[in-house]
Amino acid sequence: MKRKVLVVADLRANQLRNVSLEALGGANTLADGGEVAAVVIGHGVSSLVQPLSEHGANHVYVIDHADLAQYVPDAYEAAVSQAIEAFDPQVVLFAHSAIGRDVAPALAAKHKAGQVSDIIHVELAGDDMLFTRPIYAGKAFAKVKASGHVVFATIRPNNLPMPEQTSEQADVVNIDYAAPANLRTKVREVLKKASSGVDLSEAKIIVSGGRGVKSADGFKPLYELAEVLGAAVGASRGACDAGYCDYSMQIGQTGKVVTPDLYIACGISGAIQHLAGMSNSKIIVAINKDPEAPIFKVADYGIVGDLFDVVPALSSEARKVLA
Ligand code: FAD
């Protein structure tokens, strides 16, 4: 059954996050030969049309306005609603990001539509759309059948395959942003936290430290390994609670959920709340000096040893291989 599917592009510092392109792949599956559109919302974002166009969007809506330079829920909701009105889709896909998680359910409620969150796979079964999502902290997967006129869904980064790049050109439609009359929030200033540069939730490789790193300085060898591998650095809540690193690095049930190709856990015991955030990583390497540590139960490769010996050794070997 042909459908119209709208992807709401997810931006970070005015750059497209990969999950937007991955969502376009999912959108093409769900469209079943119908039409796929993307909407890009922000200020100074017209250069983002091209990658969306080259990755499967038939139409790209651009809503570019100074008031949209920073994320403000009411304003963003209004802008997405304008794109929905213009395209009239049956399915609207967001990234399962801070913005997507905020806006998608609000808009789904407004449209009296269904909402499916944290999708890792989409498929068709006849006329039905099936969405797969992890449940019970990643221990099981539910297949959700979605019906109804409009369905909203959020896509977990790093899971749907990114469509091949083509030379196709989408038709581009500029929409004049109509600000809501009762805008309740205004961003006056944004204070950025220092970060390693690699976006944790989209990183292909993550080097993660736990209480076993013993201090903020103990993260240094992890940062060195991350630099060699082009990885992001994450942490367990144990390490965050101990003050060794910032909470923005926390991975787990109450932190970020990640699905990298390679997750290297250093000095992390493997508590269930930590596993909830990383157990769906494609390859897990655990470094722990306790051979009985539960992290080894989910690890593909386990190294029993002191992380302060193992991690520098890995960095130096990786340097040789990647040089
Ligand atoms: P520990 O459990 O103390 O483990 C440290 C490990 O380091 C040990 O296995 C030890 O053998 C090893 N080690 C020590 N020194 C070395 C060395 N030199 N070399 C190698 N290995 C060494 N936790 C999260 O991570 N994320 C969450 O989102 C999260 N949410 C939670 C939500 C709730 C409601 C609750 C109750 C808990 C939550 N937790 C979360 C906490 C979780 O239960 C654990 O306490 C936490 O994950 C433990 O962190 P850790 O593995 O770093 O520390």
Side-chain angles (χ1 to χ4, degrees):
M1 187 173 87
K2 286 187 181 179
R3 293 184 187 84
K4 290 166 89 175
V5 184
L6 175 69
V7 170
V8 180
D10 203 73
L11 313 188
R12 188 188 196 221
N14 259 16
Q15 296 299 315
L16 266 190
R17 295 179 76 227
N18 285 342
V19 64
S20 309
L21 305 181
E22 292 160 7
L24 281 173
N28 265 300
T29 304
L30 297 172
D32 201 12
E35 287 173 81
V36 172
V39 57
V40 56
I41 298 168
H43 188 45
V45 290
S46 52
S47 63
L48 306 180
V49 168
Q50 196 60 19
L52 293 166
S53 165
E54 287 170 350
H55 287 85
N58 309 119
H59 315 275
V60 179
Y61 294 94
V62 180
I63 310 183
D64 194 312
H65 194 279
D67 288 359
L68 298 167
Q70 301 296 341
Y71 172 68
V72 173
D74 295 0
Y76 201 86
E77 246 180 75
V80 178
S81 295
Q82 285 187 265
I84 291 175
E85 209 170 290
F87 185 54
D88 191 24
Q90 283 87 50
V91 184
V92 186
L93 301 181
F94 294 81
H96 193 69
S97 62
I99 293 178
R101 279 183 286 175
D102 197 27
V103 176
L107 279 170
K110 253 188 197 159
H111 285 80
K112 301 198 186 328
Q115 150 83 23
V116 199
S117 299
D118 206 8
I119 307 303
I120 58 165
H121 181 69
V122 300
E123 64 196 287
L124 296 174
D127 278 348
D128 292 327
M129 293 181 285
L130 298 181
F131 297 96
T132 306
R133 59 186 302 269
I135 53 170
Y136 302 125
K139 281 197 171 300
F141 298 94
K143 258 190 193 177
V144 182
K145 188 164 86 180
S147 54
H149 175 59
V150 186
V151 174
F152 288 75
T154 61
I155 306 291
R156 185 187 281 200
N158 271 351
N159 280 274
L160 303 191
M162 199 185 283
E164 302 248 319
Q165 196 168 347
T166 67
S167 55
E168 297 286 321
Q169 291 299 314
D171 65 274
V172 181
V173 182
N174 287 296
I175 297 182
D176 283 337
Y177 167 61
N182 54 345
L183 201 58
R184 292 169 296 183
T185 325
K186 250 191 184 164
V187 177
R188 297 227 177 268
E189 193 186 358
V190 177
L191 300 175
K192 285 205 174 122
K193 274 189 180 172
S195 78
S196 66
V198 184
D199 182 355
L200 201 51
S201 56
E202 291 220 314
K204 296 285 177 207
I205 306 176
I206 294 175
V207 180
S208 203
R211 211 159 6 215
V213 302
K214 295 191 175 64
S215 67
D217 271 356
F219 264 94
K220 276 188 187 155
L222 276 63
Y223 274 104
E224 276 165 29
L225 178 59
E227 199 183 327
V228 182
L229 299 176
V233 178
S236 71
R237 176 155 151 189
C240 300
D241 282 346
Y244 304 161
C245 59
D246 192 87
Y247 278 103
S248 61
M249 291 163 65
Q250 185 183 320
I251 289 167
Q253 186 182 314
T254 43
K256 293 196 167 80
V257 175
V258 296
T259 331
D261 292 342
L262 174 62
Y263 187 88
I264 307 177
C266 313
I268 294 177
S269 59
I272 181 74
Q273 296 89 351
H274 187 75
L275 301 187
M278 46 62 74
S279 61
N280 293 127
S281 303
K282 289 174 192 93
I283 293 178
I284 297 171
V285 176
I287 304 165
N288 198 303
K289 62 181 185 184
D290 174 8
E292 301 298 327
I295 190 80
F296 288 125
K297 293 208 174 89
V298 297
D300 300 283
Y301 300 94
I303 304 172
V304 179
D306 190 318
L307 72 91
F308 295 104
D309 299 328
V310 177
V311 175
L314 278 179
S315 299
S316 106
E317 285 307 309
R319 248 182 229 112
K320 283 185 217 159
V321 175
L322 299 172

